[in-house]
Amino acid sequence: MNAPWKPGQPLTLDTPRYRLRSMLPADVNDDYFAWLRDKEIMAGVNSAPKAMTMEDIRKYVGKFNNRSSFHLGIFRKPDDRLIGFYSVYVDRPHALASTNVVVGEKQCWGKGVVLETRAAIIDFLFDRLRVAKIWGSPMARNIPSVFNYKAQGFACEAVLKRHRVGPDGGRADQFMFALFPEQWRAVKARQAARDSKPA
Amino acid sequence: MSSAAERARALLAGALETEPAALGADASIATLEAWDSLAHLRLIEALERALGKPLPPEAIVEIGSLADVTKILESA
């Protein structure tokens, strides 16, 4: 059961293995600082390592309003260690939302962190905020990210050719993925059916 | 010479670190819990090695089942 939330107040979402909660500037720690300077981690979001100071990062984190923008830390249970974060943006006039995720703790890669935690965010966006569509735009060669979108029922609406500068300096393709509530309900029904089958 | 279907089954089984016989004809991201993000990465890499060239984005985004892998090998 997630804690009650009102617009503008910090958000907390619980999953079996993680707690997502609105980050405060004070939550930015040395790990977070190091992730932004890690070439391999930042390549996942097609971004060059950032030379931000701790003060810059804390100011950035403080700008999310918990109304139309959320910066959610992924805190592992039970040790409450910060292992990554989401930036979630909501376009209220058009009832659209997008999510970007960084899993900074490399030992957690391939452990289903994004599938588990983004499911809670998707539920919140569709059920609580009543958004009509959620979108994401991974780089075409970010295969784990592409997998996560597909596994959660997102459909590819467009392939944007040579749309961005890639990590190697060349032009890189990008996908536009989108998820509608009825697709999400179908994914959840399939998962429930699979989980109810005897092993 | 093995068929595209047999090669696809072998490639997917390798990516999932299982036996080809363990995969049903309906094997897909939706039906197999073992098909996770790292297995998907291994599958794409194995497919590209088998084809000897990178997959175009239109192919990458289509891959979600054993049938999709077979289709790509058939069209190569």
Side-chain angles (χ1 to χ4, degrees), chain A residues 31-43:
Chain A
D31 288 340
Y32 190 117
F33 183 73
W35 299 337
L36 298 191
R37 291 168 177 261
D38 186 301
K39 198 175 171 184
E40 188 180 21
I41 292 169
M42 296 315 289

Side-chain angles (χ1 to χ4, degrees), chain A residues 112-130:
Chain A
V113 175
V114 175
L115 292 182
E116 181 172 327
T117 54
R118 192 163 56 198
I121 294 172
I122 293 170
D123 280 341
F124 171 74
L125 292 170
F126 281 145
D127 299 342
R128 182 70 176 80
L129 296 192
R130 300 285 176 195

Side-chain angles (χ1 to χ4, degrees), chain A residues 109-110 140-141 143-144 146-148 150-151 156 159 161 173 175 177 190 194-195, chain B residues 29-33 35-38 40-41 44 48 55 57-58 60-63:
Chain A
W109 289 4
R141 297 300 310 187
I143 304 298
V146 171
F147 168 86
N148 286 328
K150 286 179 68 71
C156 181
V159 181
K161 295 293 187 77
D173 302 327
F175 294 130
F177 276 107
R190 275 202 304 271
R194 191 178 72 187
D195 294 347
Chain B
I29 287 174
T31 61
L32 293 174
E33 203 166 349
W35 194 332
D36 61 20
S37 61
L38 294 184
H40 199 66
L41 179 59
I44 300 291
E48 292 183 332
L55 287 165
E58 291 83 357
I60 289 174
V61 79
E62 283 302 316
I63 297 170

